[in-house]
Amino acid sequence: MAAKKHPIFDTATTLGKLVAFLGISSICGVLVAGLMVPAVALAGGTATSSISFFDDLPDEMNVGTPALSSKILAADGSVIATFYDQNRTEVPLDSISPFMKDAIVAVEDSRFYEHGGIDTRGLMRAVTSMARGGGRQGASTITQQYVSNVINQTYAANGELEKVKQGDGKGVGDKVREIKLAIAVDKKYSKEEILQGYLNWVFFANNNYGIEAASSFYFSAHAKDLTLPQAALLAGVVNRPSYYDPVVNPDNALSRRNMVLDHMLDQGMIDAKQHADAVKAEIGLKVQDNRNGCTTAVRAEYFCQYVSNLILNDPNYGKTVEDREKLLLQGGLTITTTLDPGLQDAAQAQFANFTPAENNPDKVGQSLVTVQPGSGKILAMAQNSKLISPEGQFNSDYNFNVDRVDVNGNSLGGAGGFDVGSTIKPFTFAEWLNSGHRINEVVNAAVRKYPIGFQWTNTCGSTTGVYDDNAGDGSKDLQNAENNFYQRLTAREGLYNSLNTATFATAAQLDMCNIQKMMTATGIHLGGDPKQPYSVEFVSSLLGSGEVAPLIMASAFATFASGGTHCDPVALVSVTNLKGDKFPVPGANCKQTVNPEVAAGVTSVLQEVLVRGSGYLIGLEYPAAAKTGTTNNSEQTWTTGYTRGLVTSSWVGNINKAESNNGKLIANQRLDYVDGATYAGKAWQGYMNQVAGNFDVNGFDAPPANMVSPPVIIAPKPVTPAPAVPETKKSDDTKSDDKKKD
């Protein structure tokens, strides 16, 4: 109902007022009140008690809004997923086909516009039949049905199923109370308001409540677009939804539809030609199966799961988890998100080139997640598994891209992150610049022994770790992927070539506490838990022996892409209910956490990764920066990189976290050795080349000259399109004995 959708009935109605309203004799009023009581109630001695019985019935019922479906929307307004207990979308009367309004009146209550909530003719016919010894007869008007639907569906929505009563399950008090409430409703509201309420509450089978949901399910149409035969069919369903369900019982539904059309013709609602054409029409179902929850999402089911967890974890949506779940399933929320459907579909499509769902026997995990620098918006979140998948295909309950829990310890459905390998090295380099060192400062990458007792500086804790063939504990000297880099070289060369010895040589001159603070400033945390800083307790952590979620890595690199501004990743744009009330959504908390010159310095070197470093095969058509990463035995492989407008983290790895991906079937081949550029890098390249041009692809700001010292001219990088089948790169960027020493 447009102005008063969900009334609170409070009219005080006595039997005497009922009799006056009906305009019939006093005894008829008693008969009305005693309609559903045993025949003995007609005896003279029972009349007074019947009047008292009716007078004492409650004449108000408190109902909230109907249980309405909630929708998660992408940034462009397209539907990602729908959530409901009762599949219902409320619409105003002017958004319902006139055929539907006429059809339901014709078959359910032909005198709807004449009576005052109850139909005296129907009541008298039923009373007469009973008085003559006949059985009970229905005399229910649209108004009475509306009252009954409101009562029962409110109980159902509140989980009070034991109070729901249908048909013969209703007692005397239930029936007569509905009569009294129907009279009260009719006095307070217009016929149009009542009809609108009825058409939005009534059940149409297959968990469809209200005409909009039914129209969508049976005919893939809006209620306003229903044709005459479609409207007549749906009007016929409400009498006995299961029996007249056109999906299960099409013959019954067709017969009932034609009866509705007969009624419409008899009542002058349609002419003979309309009637004849409609009767000849096929049922013409175009069933659009209902989608409920993230497992049936149109796209981005794991992003959907992430968003629903944000709602279920947030006290702004209810005091308890149960309250929040009820709001999501019944509150008619419109949840608008940051997801870009074009980016999401492009990311999802990449997996067909590497780990397709129908051909991933080794269950290799793969994901791509994109954030927008400077805003924190999550634009894509894709992975190669399904929440529920056909037998033989890859499925996972875990979202590979996100944290395990939120800041309050509530589950986000994430896998908890994966060892990040050399993608962590830029943060040590950032602190190198932040502490006053220079990009081209020479470091001794020939040092490979870090024996027991080596004094790592850590002003807020301790750092240990042994790399020494002579230690006697099985340790090995620190290793690089290639033997020709154990020499003095610049810090710049050390980073773009991803040299472990160069990273240690810089870290040995820094405060490990400050390296950790740099990681925290960019949003990095450990183990999928925002309360766990990335630990530098073991020096191997500088080589990536710490688990970080791909979304967090993308967000951290976005700090460099945006000139040092860190934004928390955000998925929600707005959340509103049907009334337009707005719920608070988490902000990105964008802050300048890294010196802009430091960010520019890091970016300048990460650009070289794609020109002459570990990612030389995965360069983009646009100015870009990136870092690859590989763990010891290729259990986890990464490429995280960015343009000015997009940051994407690409991961290919093992969700069990212990198995190597060497020799696994990926891209329809089995390679003896896999690193960060092999598959993760190629997926990143293919995806970013496809979508980055729709965002800012201007060149990056250069670092100040005094940070470079001496100036370095970077040669233009070649444009290298992604090959159809990923190639093997010349070297592994992180191969080393970088396990924790504990």
Side-chain angles (χ1 to χ4, degrees), residues 2 484 717:
N484 59 336
K717 64 181 181 302

Side-chain angles (χ1 to χ4, degrees), residues 396-419:
S396 176
D397 293 334
Y398 293 110
N399 185 332
F400 301 155
N401 283 302
V402 304
D403 281 339
R404 181 175 53 83
V405 295
D406 65 16
V407 70
N408 295 313
N410 301 306
S411 175
L412 290 173
F418 308 95
D419 283 354

Side-chain angles (χ1 to χ4, degrees), residues 303-384:
F303 177 78
C304 170
Q305 180 193 60
Y306 178 68
V307 168
S308 62
N309 281 327
L310 294 179
I311 300 293
L312 295 175
N313 293 343
D314 191 339
N316 285 307
Y317 300 95
K319 291 183 178 179
T320 66
V321 173
E322 291 74 20
D323 292 338
R324 300 190 283 271
E325 184 175 18
K326 182 176 180 181
L327 179 66
L328 181 62
L329 296 177
Q330 302 179 15
L333 300 180
T334 297
I335 304 166
T336 303
T337 71
T338 58
L339 193 82
D340 184 310
L343 268 66
Q344 178 66 29
D345 293 347
Q348 198 70 40
Q350 277 295 319
F351 305 138
N353 301 323
F354 301 95
T355 55
E358 66 278 4
N359 189 26
N360 187 16
D362 296 326
K363 297 183 179 180
V364 177
Q366 186 170 7
S367 73
L368 286 162
V369 61
T370 300
V371 299
Q372 185 178 50
S375 75
K377 291 180 179 179
I378 303 169
L379 302 182
M381 183 183 288
Q383 68 186 63
N384 67 328

Side-chain angles (χ1 to χ4, degrees), residues 577-601:
N577 61 19
L578 190 67
K579 298 176 182 177
D581 299 330
K582 294 183 178 181
F583 293 83
V585 297
N589 301 315
C590 295
K591 298 177 183 177
Q592 188 80 39
T593 59
V594 175
N595 186 305
E597 296 178 349
V598 169

